[in-house]
Amino acid sequence: MKTARDRILAKLRAAPVQPPVEPDVAGYYAQHTPPTTLPDRLRQFSRMMRAVHTELHYTHAHGWPTLLARIVRDKNIGSVLLAPRTPHGERAVVALSQLDTAPQLLTFDQPIEAWKDQLFNGVAAAFTGSRAGIADTGALVLWPDAEEPRSMSLVPPIHLVLFEASRLYENHYHAMTAEGWAQGLPTNSLLISGPSKTADIQQTLAYGAHGPRELVVLVLLPDDLDPATLEVQP
Amino acid sequence: MPPIASPSRPTDVYFFGTCLLDLFLPEAGLDAITLLEREGLRVHFPQGQSCCGQPAYTSGQPAEARSVARAQLGLFPQPWPIVVPSGSCAGMMHRHWPTLFADTPDHAQAVAVAGRVVEFADFLLNVLQFARHDHGDPTQVAVHTSCSARREMGTHLASEALVEQLDNVTRVSPAREAECCGFGGAFALRHPDISGAMVSDKAAALQASGATTFVTADAGCLMNINGKLGCGTQPFAGQHLASFLLHRTGGQA
Amino acid sequence: MSTHALTRHPTPSFKAQSHAAVNNPDLRQSFGGAMDFLQAKRASQFPDPEGFAELRRLSEAVRRRCLAKLPDLLVQLETQLTANGIHVHWAETPDEANALIHGLIAARKGRLAVKGKSMVSEEIELNAYLEARGVTAIESDMGEYIVQLAGEKPSHIIMPAIHKTKADIAALFHQHIPHAPYTEDVDALIQLGRNALREHYRQADVGISGVNFAVAETGTLCLVENEGNGRMCTTLPDLHIAITGIEKVVEKLTDIVPLYAILPRSATGQAITTYFNLISAPRQPDEKDGPREVHLVLLDNGRSQAYADEQLRQTLQCIRCGACMNHCPVYRRIGGHAYGTVYPGPIGEIISPHMLGLEATRDLPTASTLCGACSDVCPVNIPIPDLLIRLRQEAARPPSDMPLHPLQGQGASYRLTTAWVWRLWAAVYGHPVGYRLFSWCATRFRRLTPRRQGGWTAHRTPLIPAAQSLHEQLQRRRPTAPAAPESHRP
């Protein structure tokens, strides 16, 4: 007996053949990507990310854990989900533990089924790393793994992300090709460009629709790049 | 300085009057011909002409559209431009005739004729480089362009430029200027409620624009919008671009 | 196609529905405002027409190449997804798709499904099918959730609740969400929805989603969204079932770059959505979340009929941005429900006939002035007016002229009387003598022209022929003398 698959494919194969014409995706992006410097890209990235309510801080390799701790303290975050076995998670644990009123530190060390209720109702924020960034539209590339599962960037109401500016690409195409995504995608990868939002009620924009209400990005600048030069539009 | 005639400026043109203009707005056709003649052209009006076939074509009746269009194909034997004072008809002839006659013995002729079809405003501005003294009083005018003319021929630019170059005329833009007036040929009869709502909005937007009149180079849109305005109490009405230009620039030569 | 499709979405008379809609001032106002808003948002993303034209040429070329290779790409997609651990199913009809999906849920004893936004699931009326078999399906996109609470259908493919006011939604939430106070504050309403839906995400054992692009090269399902509900549905329940039309496959991962660049700009005027979610596998042994089972259902439902015709195939280029409806002067005035089909507006007019047959949808291709506002903004350059004309032809096709590969319901609008009217028209307008006689009569007896001219005079003064046609006037006219060049403007 023929299956639905056979019948559908047979119908499609019986249709007139139109010789495929190869679109020049690479050529388009080569032509539409003027050379940029890292500060250019960072300014564009920040402008776009902030335009969609992302909270963005510039920092450096030595100082970011202090900044993270200050943000957690200022926002009165009572619990932080993080991955202490990652290098950035390890440093975050140290910095957050030194706060006067240290937040509860949680680790995603068991399958979600075992602690779904707590994940939904008992975690104020999650802190994760990121794989890359996209300047032109503003977006972070997340590459969740066993250490930092995908729901960390989704369920807690605040998502704190560390982003290394050196991994900021001009656009989606450059990020994808330079990093060879097609050669190996994880179970789930993501572009994220702000807190969860909706305009489904009378076209009125509201944040915190289902996922994080706040997206806080700590941009790790090269040591010789002064954040002050990025805040001023030249 | 008088403009230098473009090298492609013809001495003779055909005029395809269109069925709506022929029966309902002949004055606009005469005004268009007068304008062309005043620019020094000999205007030829083949008496065998009737309609471009668009009503049947857009109603899903290609055979009937073809038979009417075929009757026009042989009327333009000389290599002169065929000037059409209605944007959607010009679009039908220029863009759709080649498709309509695809795989028929008349295809080559249809393509050749279609290639010579030019919309009136486009021709006046871009071929004749029309530039005349404005003898009228200062006024504000809105321009409405038929959607198919805008989309298929890009002629809104020509109509707008022709109006804007008149010294005493200020062109104003009504709200949602590019939106369809709701005519759509058989659409106006098949979906009278929707068409009625569209033309009501269009008429209201034109009236609210601050213009004293509106002009258009499309007979269908003109009859539709004026038909709606005629139900109202305000003396606001539109006119064909050709009539407006002729009257502003001194009437008959 | 099976016959059930005709009854699945019985199209109540488009005329009656559009009549009611166009005479509803509230609806006219809310759609008018929403369309102005969406048009302005989109325009802000494409300040440079040439820039838009270039990106659209590329996007169109990508879609055309993918369609040209469609059967091969579907097989490649299946192979790659299977290698990644995602199960692939094929369904020719809505019934097959529903049965497949229910079977997957029943095998896992699923009771509660949370759904991300999926127009294909609307197309097959999945919720009703599951509900009748004891599976509760909760729409989680905020707009879809609102529409589901109201017992309605989406009126727009991107903004399902665009026809609802704040007050409507306040009343709905107050009535349906336990302990919800009445509030018209949008932030407060969203929080009410958020809290209610987060309970569902936590409890659901099945997640159902659509797919924006399915990448054959990598076996990846891409989802575009702002809210995060799609991620919830595809991350939290242990079983994820995605459903999509067979045309959504793209060949290469890089193909999604231009398509994702042009989709949100065209749809909601955003440079990028909050989330772009790429799913390539179920949960791996070392991973701690994500569904352990992922399934993709590929639905035909008339798409292969459109594919069989080289012109109509262009319908399948669509990436479902909704820009065509946002810019359609007809949609603006009647809203989405009047169309009576899942996909309203211009895209609905050209896709619904393939899904439901021309018999059930014969009025839809006529619901357009062919103004082309839709094709002007279409991000993949679908020539919608040309396709509407083609469908009008197919609907009116006489029984004596049926082609080898028919469209379902072809000839449904054919009426002998109409055919004769057009034949008479062609006889008059196709012969100079006939036309001259006709116009002579029309002008000479102009006073006899009826003053009531059907739909025309419902909103306009009657059309009365001139006293003399242009033909006649020109026969008597002498050409004016060519003008002197000095009358040109200095």
Side-chain angles (χ1 to χ4, degrees), chain C residues 312-366:
Chain C
L312 298 172
R313 183 180 298 180
Q314 296 172 96
T315 311
L316 304 178
Q317 286 166 216
C318 177
I319 54 172
R320 302 285 190 270
C321 70
C324 59
M325 59 198 75
N326 294 346
H327 291 76
C328 176
V330 174
Y331 177 90
R332 175 190 188 95
R333 284 170 182 82
I334 64 175
H337 288 149
Y339 292 84
T341 48
V342 168
Y343 302 95
I347 181 60
E349 291 161 14
I350 60 170
I351 190 89
S352 305
H354 300 292
M355 295 173 174
L356 305 170
L358 269 168
E359 199 140 74
T361 57
R362 75 185 93 164
D363 279 336
L364 296 184
T366 72

Side-chain angles (χ1 to χ4, degrees), chain B residues 226-240:
Chain B
N226 272 354
K228 175 66 202 180
L229 289 165
C231 299
T233 53
Q234 303 290 318
F236 185 90
Q239 53 191 307
H240 196 280

Side-chain angles (χ1 to χ4, degrees), chain B residues 67-126:
Chain B
S67 83
V68 168
R70 187 180 287 115
Q72 322 301 316
L73 285 181
L75 301 174
F76 312 100
Q78 299 299 323
W80 303 327
I82 303 161
V83 179
V84 183
S86 210
S88 66
C89 310
M92 172 72 198
M93 298 164 80
H94 185 73
R95 179 160 175 259
H96 295 288
W97 274 9
T99 321
L100 186 63
F101 288 98
D103 305 322
T104 73
D106 301 311
H107 185 241
Q109 191 183 15
V111 170
V113 172
R116 283 189 281 134
V117 168
V118 53
E119 192 266 344
F120 170 76
D122 186 10
F123 185 75
L124 209 55
L125 182 78
N126 295 319

Side-chain angles (χ1 to χ4, degrees), chain C residues 3-312:
Chain C
T3 50
H4 68 81
L6 289 180
T7 54
R8 180 168 299 280
H9 304 288
T11 312
S13 158
F14 174 76
K15 281 196 172 182
Q17 299 227 77
S18 60
H19 175 83
V22 88
N23 289 305
N24 176 343
D26 291 344
L27 183 138
R28 285 273 297 278
Q29 197 183 357
S30 69
F31 272 93
M35 298 302 104
D36 282 344
F37 173 79
L38 288 165
Q39 287 177 19
K41 290 268 285 176
R42 177 192 171 277
S44 74
Q45 286 294 328
F46 298 114
D48 159 34
E50 189 43 42
F52 169 66
E54 275 183 77
L55 182 57
R56 143 155 127 166
R57 270 196 295 277
L58 181 66
S59 303
E60 179 193 10
V62 165
R63 288 297 296 137
R64 288 182 79 98
R65 189 248 280 129
C66 295
L67 287 175
K69 299 181 175 181
L70 183 59
D72 293 340
L73 293 185
L74 285 168
V75 172
Q76 188 190 352
L77 176 72
E78 179 185 46
T79 308
Q80 199 57 52
L81 284 171
T82 308
N84 295 355
I86 295 178
H87 305 271
V88 179
H89 311 268
W90 304 66
E92 261 190 304
T93 65
D95 281 348
E96 283 178 25
N98 281 327
L100 265 168
I101 293 170
H102 177 251
L104 294 170
I105 297 172
R108 304 275 305 238
K109 300 195 168 55
R111 308 294 302 170
L112 175 65
V114 281
K115 283 184 66 199
K117 196 167 155 31
S118 155
M119 289 310 294
V120 176
S121 77
E122 297 281 348
E123 192 182 316
I124 64 174
E125 297 193 340
L126 177 63
N127 292 1
Y129 187 95
L130 294 181
E131 211 71 49
R133 286 154 187 82
V135 179
T136 304
I138 305 284
E139 293 290 349
S140 66
D141 171 88
M142 207 56 84
E144 292 273 357
Y145 178 63
I146 291 163
V147 167
Q148 188 182 36
L149 287 183
E152 296 176 4
K153 297 273 180 195
S155 59
H156 189 284
I157 64 169
I158 300 296
M159 312 198 89
I162 202 164
H163 58 291
K164 291 272 182 230
T165 62
K166 274 186 279 199
D168 295 337
I169 295 160
L172 270 176
F173 280 11
H174 180 55
Q175 188 191 340
H176 291 282
I177 300 177
H179 315 299
Y182 182 94
T183 171
E184 291 185 20
D185 179 82
V186 171
D187 281 316
L189 286 169
I190 294 297
Q191 290 318 303
L192 287 171
R194 172 190 173 99
N195 295 337
L197 285 164
R198 280 173 74 99
E199 266 314 290
H200 293 307
Y201 300 134
R202 200 172 56 77
Q203 292 168 0
D205 34 30
V206 185
I208 296 171
S209 77
V211 176
N212 290 93
F213 318 111
V215 185
E217 177 184 25
T218 54
T220 301
L221 308 177
C222 307
L223 275 84
V224 175
E225 61 157 338
N226 283 313
E227 294 189 1
N229 67 303
R231 290 188 63 201
M232 292 281 186
C233 296
T234 58
T235 299
L236 297 165
D238 213 24
L239 172 63
H240 169 208
I241 304 170
I243 176 162
T244 194
I246 51 174
E247 82 281 19
K248 288 284 176 67
V249 61
V250 298
E251 184 174 8
K252 302 172 188 173
L253 193 64
T254 49
D255 288 346
I256 64 178
V257 177
L259 298 179
Y260 181 54
I262 206 163
L263 172 61
R265 285 183 165 95
S266 300
T268 48
Q270 294 173 265
I272 188 169
T273 54
T274 303
Y275 300 113
F276 186 55
N277 185 359
L278 290 90
I279 297 165
S280 302
R283 184 193 303 195
Q284 302 300 297
D286 63 332
E287 290 178 336
K288 302 187 190 76
D289 65 359
R292 289 194 177 84
E293 259 184 56
V294 180
H295 297 261
L296 174 69
V297 177
L298 291 164
L299 176 70
D300 180 348
N301 195 26
R303 288 164 175 83
S304 57
Q305 173 183 291
Y307 190 78
D309 182 281
E310 287 182 86
Q311 185 187 23
L312 298 172

